[in-house]
Amino acid sequence: MLNSLPYKTKQFFWLAIKLSIVIGCGYFVYQKLVENDNFHFSDFYQNLIKNNVFSLKNSVILLFFTFFNWILEITKWKNLASSVQKISFYEATKQSLASLTTSLITPNRIGEYGAKALYFKKQHRKQIVGLNLVGNFYQMLITLIFGVIGFGFFYYNNDVTINFRRVMRILLLGLFLISAFFFGAKHFKYRGYSTEKARKFIDRIQFSLNVKTAFLSLFRYLVFSHQFYFLLLLFNVEISYFDAITAITSVYFIASIVPMLSLFDVVLKGTVAIWVFTYFDIPPITILSITTLMWIFNFVIPAIIGSYFVLIFKPVANK
């Protein structure tokens, strides 16, 4: 449809989309930080000042965690995308940060898939979407593995009350839906594409690439989970390393299995973290401050940089 539009019209169309993404992202970030009835910015600010969180030393360490986190994510994407079309580290950076900005206002960051695909020619876009899915799958797999182990220790060592009947109903429903998808989707086709083609695409991915992606996902998980732990130390929380790690992995595990608009990720993780850390008698304002800082450092700051790449984005010519 876009190919039939005059050149100037297409330029205006893309400019409108890019500005809408950037303005929308900025507005929702402002809403979450300043005009949030459940989160008082003045209390958050006072808590930061009280604990001297933004001293030069602390700021450098926190930014280092963020930098290393995104270096690993960008490297992971560069390796995956280069299996289809060789791209530089700078190109991978543009695609990763611009897609983050775009995805913040979409459920479960689904906008990331389309945003990255637009950087490639039409004939490569389905492969790019598939590779992005592979990268996110490994990140989710690492989160689930560590989360199940961490939550197991958390449950065993604390007097946690869980409605197992409700949990079993949810698990059985999930198992039924997954089974229905895999058995039913085998015969499902859409415009000539079937799950058989998707399986063949996954089989074509080199074993070495899968291993690299898994390890980069693991290292990235270790980086942001220890950034959380470092913030616990900055806020003078009295908790052992073992208890902290089991609580942190439990928070990410629970939050990861709840579908939610990415912009409200801070609300979800804050709510889950408050519940988990109440078992260690940690004040809710401290946990909210930490989850908000994690969101700012790992989503808001990269999204601001990504806004620039969104604004300078030029559609790829499909020739």
Side-chain angles (χ1 to χ4, degrees):
M1 182 181 75
L2 288 177
N3 291 332
S4 62
L5 295 175
Y7 177 72
K8 290 292 183 183
T9 305
K10 283 195 287 185
Q11 277 190 318
F12 177 78
F13 177 79
W14 281 111
L15 177 62
I17 290 178
K18 291 187 286 187
L19 287 175
S20 298
I21 291 170
V22 172
I23 293 171
C25 182
Y27 173 74
F28 281 114
V29 168
Y30 174 81
Q31 285 283 95
K32 290 298 108 186
L33 290 179
V34 180
E35 296 191 0
N36 187 342
D37 293 335
N38 300 315
F39 177 80
H40 300 290
F41 186 79
S42 58
D43 294 338
F44 171 62
Y45 177 75
Q46 290 300 322
N47 212 17
L48 297 182
I49 299 299
K50 175 185 173 183
N51 292 282
N52 197 27
V53 172
F54 284 138
S55 68
L56 179 60
K57 177 185 174 182
N58 293 338
S59 298
V60 169
I61 295 173
L62 287 169
L63 286 171
F64 174 77
F65 273 114
T66 298
F67 176 77
F68 198 37
N69 177 17
W70 276 96
I71 286 292
L72 289 169
E73 176 62 20
I74 292 165
T75 302
K76 182 169 69 174
W77 177 241
K78 179 181 180 298
N79 290 339
L80 286 166
S82 292
S83 66
V84 171
Q85 176 184 311
K86 292 293 182 183
I87 61 172
S88 65
F89 189 82
Y90 175 71
E91 286 295 319
T93 301
K94 281 200 306 183
Q95 294 168 18
S96 297
L97 295 182
S99 64
L100 169 69
T101 305
T102 306
S103 70
L104 283 180
I105 54 176
T106 59
N108 275 26
R109 294 183 58 186
I110 197 170
E112 175 189 356
Y113 294 89
K116 281 180 178 173
L118 288 174
Y119 280 94
F120 296 84
K121 292 183 178 180
K122 190 174 182 180
Q123 62 265 33
H124 297 316
R125 287 176 183 170
K126 290 186 177 67
Q127 291 173 287
I128 291 299
V129 170
L131 289 168
N132 196 35
L133 184 62
V134 169
N136 288 337
F137 166 77
Y138 277 109
Q139 198 67 59
M140 174 63 79
L141 182 63
I142 295 296
T143 302
L144 293 178
I145 291 172
F146 277 87
V148 168
I149 296 170
F151 187 75
F153 280 109
F154 170 72
Y155 176 80
Y156 181 79
N157 293 322
N158 298 278
D159 187 21
V160 181
T161 303
I162 298 177
N163 187 332
F164 281 102
R165 186 172 295 179
R166 179 176 295 178
V167 171
M168 285 303 298
R169 283 202 297 265
I170 294 172
L171 289 176
L172 288 173
L173 177 61
L175 183 62
F176 171 77
L177 292 174
I178 292 170
S179 301
F181 173 78
F182 278 105
F183 286 104
K186 185 177 180 181
H187 306 288
F188 175 79
K189 290 187 177 182
Y190 176 72
R191 294 183 180 178
Y193 297 96
S194 65
T195 53
E196 182 65 20
K197 289 187 178 181
R199 187 187 63 78
K200 288 181 179 178
F201 167 75
I202 293 171
D203 288 343
R204 286 198 301 269
I205 299 174
Q206 294 182 354
F207 176 75
S208 60
L209 181 57
N210 279 289
V211 172
K212 285 179 184 177
T213 304
F215 272 103
L216 286 168
S217 298
L218 170 62
F219 293 144
R220 186 174 180 232
Y221 183 87
L222 293 175
V223 167
F224 63 70
S225 59
H226 281 79
Q227 185 180 28
F228 197 116
Y229 176 68
F230 178 70
L231 283 166
L232 287 171
L233 297 180
L234 289 187
F235 282 90
N236 301 307
V237 173
E238 295 183 3
I239 186 172
S240 69
Y241 176 78
F242 179 80
D243 285 339
I245 291 301
T246 57
I248 292 167
T249 53
S250 297
V251 169
Y252 283 112
F253 168 63
I254 297 169
S256 67
I257 59 178
V258 179
M260 178 161 286
L261 199 67
S262 292
L263 227 355
F264 302 106
D265 186 66
V266 63
V267 178
L268 173 62
K269 283 194 174 72
T271 303
V272 173
I274 287 173
W275 176 75
V276 170
F277 281 96
T278 51
Y279 287 92
F280 303 99
D281 298 321
I282 300 173
I285 182 61
T286 297
I287 298 305
L288 275 178
S289 297
I290 290 172
T291 54
T292 301
L293 283 172
M294 287 291 294
W295 186 65
I296 290 172
F297 275 97
N298 293 299
F299 287 94
V300 176
I301 293 176
I304 291 171
I305 300 171
S307 297
Y308 168 74
F309 293 125
V310 168
L311 291 173
I312 65 170
F313 169 76
K314 292 182 180 179
V316 175
N318 293 304
K319 292 182 180 179

